[in-house]
Amino acid sequence: MTEEEFDSPFTFFQNLSCLLKIQVQKRDNFKIIEYVRLAPMPLANHSHIGEYVSIMTLSHGIALGWLSPIAAHLASDKTPLEEKLNVYQASWVGSLIAIGAFFSNIFTGIPLYYCGRKPVMYFLAFPHAIHWILIYFATSVTYLYVARFLAGMTGGSILIVFPIFVSEIADTNIRGALTSTIICATSTGVLLGFTLGHFLDYSVLPCIMLLLPLIYLASITFLPETPLFLIRAGKTEKAEKSFYFYKNLSDEDAETKKQFKEFEEGHSIVVEQVSVSDYCNKEAWKAYGLIYVLLFTHQMSGNFAIITYATTIFKHLNNDFHVNLSAIGLGVSQLLGMMIAIVLVDRVGRRILLLSSMAGMAAGELTIVCLKYFASMQFLKEHGWFGLVTMCLISLIAGIGVGSLTFLVVVELLPHKIISIGCSMCMVQLSIFAFMTLKIYPVMIEEHGLGPTMLMSASVLLVALTILGIFLPETKNKKLA
């Protein structure tokens, strides 16, 4: 494969991944020839795997971002509901997504382990589509409660199945970039949710959004099960075909058959029963501890809550700009941060990006604390841009590490033998933390103010930075076997 083959038109995400490959080629010609040949997202007719998977994460991101601009509409006299939404109902609408994810996390690991990755990937489209249907027909807040619960079920499964799916089809040298690209699609969706929620009528967006689950289902139908799952399920013939598909290799070449044989020998811990000791050994407990800190920080840092309640936060900053347009700026910043993560994650590594992101977020949130405690009301009105810029910087820095890399590191920390059930258990923890944060944030901002809320999040970040700075290993080149 020559460099000229990169000149064909690409979508946004392919451009990023190809840029990484071209830059490697300029340093070492031999390395890129091998790298392109083995890339799990080859420039072939079936090369859009990352994009197909990203359709669902994009759609879920829109569902997340949509709530922020629409919450003010639901609380106004123009609400389509029978009664205006109050702050406590809004906190439930925001936090029920975590409850849905909790139930999804509990039950996803079992079919993932016994049935494979593809059936779970198919499942994602159905609760997501029902979520939009309920929003369209909503006449009371109960419809929104159920809709957000279903959106949480989709999101909870996404956070388990997609990182595992990617880790099993991607080589180690692009695994980080490909996973970050899929997470980046969620951020793109959040930005679209902010934008479409602001400019489109309440009933228009659900009609449009019903198309995406259908496109997603049609797109992933041709994708085979991952070769690693098939090998361990004892389905060698199907695993071989899947291996050639994801590596874009010919099944008639002796060299490629040799590559598959090596892959098979390296991953054939076949259908071995997992015992309690596999979940309770020293390696597993160390991984659980680090993952607990990562997931707690992911939520209590405000990474997700700031996006969910962006319009509320900007109101408390006395921002003169339109709050919905300010929220769009927040979404743009997060997306830019995730694009930076895609470029850097397989070069710089996970550890330094995560720790730098935590330090930067803490600094930004402490700046907001100082604004609320020490700046006068007149200063905030005259320099409203300062709070907006600070919040956008927090969002950008979160996108570089905490928002984009947490789930990748979770998958890489877990022993692969317990990855399906183990990842499900970890995401249950995440859902509990997400519920706590989404329930606490709006009420705490309303009753205690933005300053104490940001101080809480900054404190969590500083404690996590200390713990992970000491104990978190680099997982960039870890073999998932």
Side-chain angles (χ1 to χ4, degrees):
M1 185 173 288
T2 64
E3 186 170 348
E4 285 74 20
E5 290 182 62
F6 288 101
D7 293 333
S8 56
F10 295 102
T11 62
F12 167 72
F13 295 122
Q14 279 184 307
N15 272 320
L16 287 172
S17 60
C18 290
L19 174 63
L20 296 175
K21 297 171 189 174
I22 291 172
Q23 288 173 342
V24 175
Q25 186 178 37
K26 289 178 180 176
R27 292 200 305 270
D28 186 343
N29 191 53
F30 174 79
K31 185 176 181 180
I32 187 61
I33 292 171
E34 183 182 34
Y35 180 46
V36 172
R37 185 182 185 196
L38 297 182
M41 288 186 63
L43 305 180
N45 293 332
H46 51 264
S47 64
H48 305 283
I49 297 166
E51 294 167 26
Y52 298 151
V53 171
S54 294
I55 293 171
M56 182 50 63
T57 56
L58 176 77
S59 190
H60 180 63
I62 293 173
L64 297 178
W66 167 87
L67 179 63
S68 183
I70 217 68
H73 176 68
L74 295 173
S76 71
D77 293 330
K78 297 179 180 179
T79 180
L81 307 179
E82 294 169 351
E83 296 179 354
K84 291 190 290 185
L85 201 68
N86 62 46
V87 65
Y88 294 100
Q89 289 172 330
S91 73
W92 276 109
V93 172
S95 59
L96 270 166
I97 197 167
I99 300 295
F102 174 83
F103 281 95
S104 177
N105 296 153
I106 291 174
F107 298 110
T108 298
I110 297 172
L112 200 62
Y113 180 78
Y114 290 102
C115 304
R117 291 37 171 152
K118 280 293 294 294
V120 178
M121 290 169 67
Y122 282 129
F123 163 79
L124 298 175
F126 297 99
H128 185 76
I130 297 169
H131 151 265
W132 287 114
I133 292 170
L134 287 171
I135 286 174
Y136 180 81
F137 288 106
T139 56
S140 71
V141 72
T142 305
Y143 283 79
L144 298 182
Y145 289 160
V146 178
R148 293 288 287 178
F149 179 86
L150 292 173
M153 289 187 67
T154 302
S157 296
I158 282 174
L159 293 179
I160 296 173
V161 66
F162 284 168
I164 292 175
F165 176 77
V166 169
S167 73
E168 292 182 349
I169 67 168
D171 292 335
T172 57
N173 51 359
I174 60 168
R175 185 172 66 215
L178 186 54
T179 303
S180 298
T181 297
I182 292 173
I183 300 296
C184 187
T186 306
S187 185
T188 307
V190 169
L191 173 58
L192 284 172
F194 285 156
T195 308
L196 297 175
H198 175 65
F199 290 106
L200 293 183
D201 184 74
Y202 173 88
S203 60
V204 173
L205 185 59
C207 298
I208 298 171
M209 289 305 301
L210 282 172
L211 293 174
L212 287 183
L214 297 176
I215 296 170
Y216 164 76
L217 284 174
S219 299
I220 67 166
T221 300
F222 76 93
L223 296 178
E225 183 58 80
T226 68
L228 188 55
F229 174 82
L230 292 169
I231 281 285
R232 293 187 171 175
K235 301 176 181 179
T236 307
E237 187 175 339
K238 288 184 178 180
E240 186 172 6
K241 292 179 181 178
S242 174
F243 179 83
Y244 296 148
F245 177 90
Y246 287 118
K247 301 296 183 184
N248 193 32
L249 300 172
S250 169
D251 59 358
E252 298 177 356
D253 185 28
E255 179 62 27
T256 61
K257 288 185 179 295
K258 181 183 176 183
Q259 286 184 32
F260 173 73
K261 197 67 180 175
E262 291 173 354
F263 173 83
E264 182 184 10
E265 290 172 357
H267 296 86
S268 57
I269 314 170
V270 187
V271 204
E272 190 178 348
Q273 285 296 106
V274 179
S275 64
V276 174
S277 62
D278 293 312
Y279 291 94
C280 298
N281 57 45
K282 184 178 179 181
E283 181 187 7
W285 280 114
K286 182 180 178 181
Y288 297 152
L290 291 170
I291 288 169
Y292 184 94
V293 176
L294 277 169
L295 297 180
F296 186 78
T297 307
H298 183 270
Q299 291 302 316
M300 294 303 291
S301 65
N303 166 62
F304 184 35
I306 287 172
I307 292 293
T308 304
Y309 302 117
T311 54
T312 303
I313 289 171
F314 284 121
K315 285 178 183 176
H316 281 261
L317 282 171
N318 299 102
N319 184 12
D320 287 336
F321 302 101
H322 194 291
V323 289
N324 285 346
L325 295 179
S326 298
I328 291 172
L330 208 63
V332 171
S333 301
Q334 186 187 61
L335 178 59
L336 180 60
M338 291 192 173
M339 290 167 61
I340 294 171
I342 291 171
V343 175
L344 295 180
V345 62
D346 288 315
R347 298 173 180 279
V348 177
R350 288 67 157 139
R351 175 185 160 84
I352 191 168
L353 287 180
L354 271 171
L355 297 180
S356 300
S357 177
M358 289 176 185
M361 285 183 71
E365 290 174 354
L366 288 174
T367 302
I368 296 295
V369 172
C370 291
L371 277 179
K372 295 303 294 180
Y373 277 113
F374 303 115
S376 65
M377 192 66 70
Q378 184 180 353
F379 178 89
L380 290 174
K381 287 185 177 180
E382 291 177 358
H383 303 85
W385 59 268
F386 188 78
L388 171 61
V389 170
T390 304
M391 290 304 301
C392 287
L393 282 174
I394 292 171
S395 189
L396 183 145
I397 295 168
I400 292 174
V402 174
S404 58
L405 303 182
T406 298
F407 306 113
L408 169 64
V409 175
V410 166
V411 170
E412 292 177 338
L413 283 173
L414 283 169
H416 200 275
K417 190 176 181 182
I418 63 168
I419 196 167
S420 295
I421 306 277
C423 200
S424 182
M425 290 162 53
C426 292
M427 292 305 110
V428 167
Q429 285 184 336
L430 177 71
S431 297
I432 294 170
F433 298 149
F435 175 76
M436 288 166 48
T437 310
L438 294 174
K439 195 76 178 70
I440 289 170
Y441 245 70
V443 177
M444 191 167 178
I445 292 172
E446 185 71 22
E447 296 186 355
H448 301 285
L450 184 60
T453 308
M454 285 293 157
L455 183 59
M456 173 189 72
S457 291
S459 301
V460 169
L461 282 162
L462 292 173
V463 172
L465 182 63
T466 304
I467 296 171
L468 296 176
I470 298 171
F471 296 107
L472 182 67
E474 178 56 69
T475 59
K476 181 173 69 170
N477 297 314
K478 182 181 177 182
K479 297 285 185 183
L480 301 184

